[in-house]
Amino acid sequence: MLEYLPHWLPAEASQATINIILLGAILSVSIFADALAHRTRIPRISILMLVGIGIAFVHQVWIGAQHSDVLGGLSEPMIQLALVMVAFLLGSELELRRLRNTGPLILVISLFVIIGGGTMVGAGLLMLGFPLVVAVSLAAISVATDPAAVSESVREKGSAGLAPRILLGIVAIDDAWGIIIFGLSMSVLGWVIGGDGQLALLHALWELGGAIVLGVAVGLPAAWLTGRLKSGEPTQVEAIAIILLLAGLSSLLGVSALLASMIAGGLVANLAYHHTRSFREIEHVEWPFLVFFFVLSGASIDLYKVDDAILLTLAYVFLRLIGRVLGGYLAVIFSRAKHEALPRNIGLALTPQAGVAIGMALLAAERFPEFSDSILPVVVASTIIFELLGPVLVKRVLR
């Protein structure tokens, strides 16, 4: 970024200085985005994503930068911190007292949605003549849902009742399903194509098992500590320490940060007497990081790859939408005891897709480089579509 600055600026304008200015500018833009959302009823998440895409256009097309990270390596940890916060807060939705009433329903709907969506994408792409690796990889990637977009849309809508609780519960476990299915899919594909399925399976088991161990290792001490500190600054320090430890250790160990954070949040919610203190303190500082998440996610998209594989992208988007709607509809019909209180189009509210899907696409492209030009552009382009339409669909379902 520094090489594109005017020459008349002082020589001491370092990358850290530019990053501070950009972060301040992003937060300032979010204030105008919030005002615009109130006036136009457009979800502020969609506006922030558009701001990020605008930054990507300026950075990549206008300036002509070769890389998509406008913050010089800082975007990834900022996005990671936001996702860890969201996952930790979603872990509070896994409180056993709540799950006694809604747990079976959450499990049924999530299974119907992921099976319906994944099967529709995989079978549809195979019927259209796309390669097996592309079809299976995109089917596994389609399972992932963006928890940040769904939870923020639910909170922004301000709805109460069964449907919002079910949605938050589903996205709390959706990425766990996604990681399991993606790991198994890569294992099967590796075994079918190259015979290295055992290595892929071990990697998937470590990513899942290590995340569980890390979540327990951080969650149990956090649950013991919560309630022994007075509310206020000490609790806020405790909450931020949990988030930083989860984000850093998961990256160091190569395990799923989302799954580890959800497990830690669930342990705190179920074992700590004053568990709401930590969650409230995180909620107080969460929104600025979510602003960075949505804007930087849009800014990190490689616009030069978006127009590749247009037909495959359209097919993937259409099949994923149909599969999720059909899966949600069948789940509500199947759950006769509760379906009167649930909208039958609940699958539409589970369409947002972001960081986890892109991460899976990068892993799939790394394992099967000959298909990277097919998988990566599709996931990048569909992420833009689902992140812009997803919040609108969530609000429509909750209406």
Side-chain angles (χ1 to χ4, degrees):
M1 190 74 180
L2 290 176
E3 60 268 24
Y4 303 106
L5 294 176
H7 297 293
W8 48 263
L9 286 176
E12 59 267 24
S14 62
Q15 182 65 54
T17 303
I18 301 302
N19 288 346
I20 292 173
I21 296 173
L22 286 174
L23 292 176
I26 290 173
L27 289 179
S28 301
V29 170
S30 72
I31 300 173
F32 294 99
D34 196 44
L36 182 62
H38 283 296
R39 290 180 176 270
T40 61
R41 296 183 180 272
I42 300 174
R44 56 181 176 177
I45 298 173
S46 300
I47 298 175
L48 292 174
M49 279 293 296
L50 286 173
V51 170
I53 295 172
I55 294 174
F57 179 82
V58 172
H59 188 236
Q60 299 173 30
V61 179
W62 190 5
I63 296 179
Q66 298 297 321
H67 54 85
S68 57
D69 190 350
V70 296
L71 295 181
L74 188 60
S75 295
E76 184 177 349
M78 297 295 290
I79 292 174
Q80 180 88 337
L81 278 176
L83 283 174
V84 167
M85 285 185 180
V86 171
F88 185 76
L89 291 175
L90 287 175
S92 66
E93 300 296 326
L94 302 179
E95 192 175 356
L96 293 178
R97 184 179 58 185
R98 299 182 185 180
L99 293 180
R100 288 191 185 99
N101 296 324
T102 60
L105 191 57
I106 290 172
L107 183 62
V108 168
I109 295 178
S110 66
L111 285 175
F112 267 90
V113 169
I114 65 173
I115 293 174
T119 303
M120 183 69 71
V121 171
L125 293 179
L126 284 176
M127 291 177 62
L128 290 173
F130 291 102
L132 177 66
V133 172
V134 174
V136 174
S137 298
L138 291 178
I141 291 170
S142 70
V143 173
T145 307
D146 179 15
V150 175
S151 59
E152 177 57 28
S153 297
V154 171
R155 186 179 305 145
E156 188 177 349
K157 182 67 177 175
S159 302
L162 181 63
R165 293 202 306 271
I166 293 297
L167 284 177
L168 292 176
I170 291 173
V171 297
I173 63 174
D174 223 22
D175 284 312
W177 287 126
I179 293 167
I180 294 171
I181 293 174
F182 181 78
L184 292 176
S185 300
M186 292 298 102
S187 175
V188 172
L189 285 175
W191 176 72
V192 170
I193 295 176
D196 59 344
Q198 184 177 3
L199 182 61
L201 181 60
L202 289 175
H203 183 272
L205 289 175
W206 167 247
E207 188 174 9
L208 294 171
I212 294 173
V213 172
L214 177 59
V216 172
V218 175
L220 285 179
W224 177 83
L225 188 61
T226 299
R228 288 169 171 77
L229 297 175
K230 294 182 179 179
S231 57
E233 291 181 359
T235 310
Q236 193 173 69
V237 171
E238 170 206 357
I240 296 176
I242 294 171
I243 297 302
L244 292 175
L245 286 173
L246 287 169
L249 290 175
S250 61
S251 179
L252 178 66
L253 299 175
V255 301
S256 170
L258 292 177
L259 183 57
S261 303
M262 283 186 282
I263 290 173
L267 287 174
V268 172
N270 286 284
L271 300 179
Y273 182 69
H274 293 293
H275 67 271
T276 55
R277 290 180 180 174
S278 293
F279 297 116
R280 286 173 182 168
E281 293 299 337
I282 292 177
E283 287 175 350
H284 292 160
V285 297
E286 180 193 22
W287 176 242
F289 285 92
L290 285 179
V291 170
F292 296 140
F293 170 77
F294 291 116
V295 174
L296 294 177
S297 294
S300 63
I301 293 172
D302 192 344
L303 297 179
Y304 289 104
K305 294 182 179 180
V306 172
D307 59 347
D308 295 343
I310 295 178
L311 178 60
L312 179 57
T313 301
L314 293 176
Y316 172 77
V317 170
F318 179 76
L319 291 170
R320 187 173 185 267
L321 279 173
I322 296 298
R324 298 228 148 188
V325 172
L326 181 60
Y329 178 82
L330 293 176
V332 173
I333 297 299
F334 181 79
S335 307
R336 295 181 178 178
K338 297 287 186 180
H339 78 270
E340 294 87 355
L342 285 175
R344 297 191 179 187
N345 60 346
I346 193 171
L348 281 175
L350 298 170
T351 53
Q353 166 187 297
V356 176
I358 294 178
M360 290 179 179
L362 291 171
L363 290 175
E366 183 180 347
R367 285 190 56 79
F368 307 104
E370 64 272 22
F371 296 102
S372 62
D373 291 337
S374 298
I375 296 174
L376 274 176
V378 170
V379 177
V380 169
S382 62
T383 296
I384 297 174
I385 296 171
F386 286 128
E387 282 295 276
L388 294 177
L389 291 180
V392 178
L393 296 176
V394 173
K395 290 188 176 183
R396 179 180 179 84
V397 171
L398 293 179
R399 193 181 303 167

